[in-house]
Amino acid sequence: MTIVFYGVAAAGLILSFAKSKEKTKLALKKAWKAFENIMPQFLGIILLIGLLLSVLSAEQISGLIGKDSGWIGVIIASIIGSITLIPGFVAFPLAAALLENGAGYMQIGAFVSTLMMVGIVTMPMEFLYFGKKATFLRNGMGFVFSILVAIVMGVLL
C-alpha cells in the first residue's frame, strides 16, 4: 500500500513539473524547508522513544499504562499526555510503539487525546491570547473529553 502512495505522489510531482517548472521548484524548496524545521523535533522524539523503550521493559510499561492498570493507568497516561508537547505526526507512531510494548488501548486513547487537546506547557501563551478563563475552560473540556475517549475505547476495544 505504501508503494501506491509513493507512486501517486511521484505522478503528481511529474504532472506538476510538466505544468509549471517554476512553481514545482518553489513548492519543493518550501517542502524541504518544512522538512528541515520538523526533523530536529522528530529525531529528538525518536531518540526519546528509543531511550524509554530501552530503559523500560514491556512489563513495566504494561504495569504503568497496560490494560490491567485500569483507571490508574488512564490517569497516569492522561497526566503525561497533558504535560507533554509532541507534534501529532510523532504521537501516533509513539502510541503504536507503546501498544506493541504492553500499553492498553484505553490508556493510549487517553494519552493521545490529552496530548492533542490539553496543553499545560502552552498555557502561559494561551493566557495572553485567550485569557485565563478561556484557557482553563478549553483545557478542562479537553481533559474531560479525553477521559470520554478512553471510556469509549475501553468499551469498544
Side-chain angles (χ1 to χ4, degrees):
M1 189 65 173
T2 304
I3 198 151
V4 172
F5 288 126
Y6 284 130
V8 170
L13 183 61
I14 291 167
L15 182 67
S16 174
F17 193 76
K19 189 170 181 177
S20 174
K21 291 179 184 179
E22 297 81 28
K23 286 184 178 179
T24 303
K25 287 180 183 178
L26 182 64
L28 287 172
K29 285 180 183 177
K30 285 183 178 182
W32 183 255
K33 283 289 185 190
F35 177 73
E36 285 179 332
N37 289 336
I38 290 171
M39 190 49 64
Q41 290 178 334
F42 187 69
L43 287 175
I45 297 299
I46 296 298
L47 288 171
L48 181 64
I49 293 169
L51 182 66
L52 284 174
L53 293 178
S54 67
V55 171
L56 297 174
S57 68
E59 292 81 24
Q60 290 170 317
I61 293 172
S62 182
L64 288 172
I65 57 172
K67 185 170 70 170
D68 295 333
S69 67
W71 286 104
I72 299 295
V74 170
I75 297 301
I76 290 170
S78 297
I79 291 170
I80 293 170
S82 295
I83 61 174
T84 308
L85 186 61
I86 299 176
F89 69 89
V90 177
F92 296 109
L94 171 60
L98 290 170
L99 282 169
E100 289 172 6
N101 283 281
Y105 286 105
M106 192 163 107
Q107 291 76 6
I108 292 301
F111 172 70
V112 171
S113 58
T114 54
L115 193 61
M116 297 292 111
M117 292 190 289
V118 181
I120 301 298
V121 175
T122 58
M123 283 179 98
M125 185 179 66
E126 287 184 51
F127 288 158
L128 295 174
Y129 289 99
F130 306 125
K132 288 186 178 182
K133 182 178 178 182
T135 300
F136 284 125
L137 185 63
R138 186 196 72 76
N139 282 294
M141 288 176 15
F143 193 85
V144 169
F145 185 75
S146 296
I147 299 299
L148 293 174
V149 166
I151 292 169
V152 169
M153 288 188 75
V155 169
L156 294 179
L157 302 174

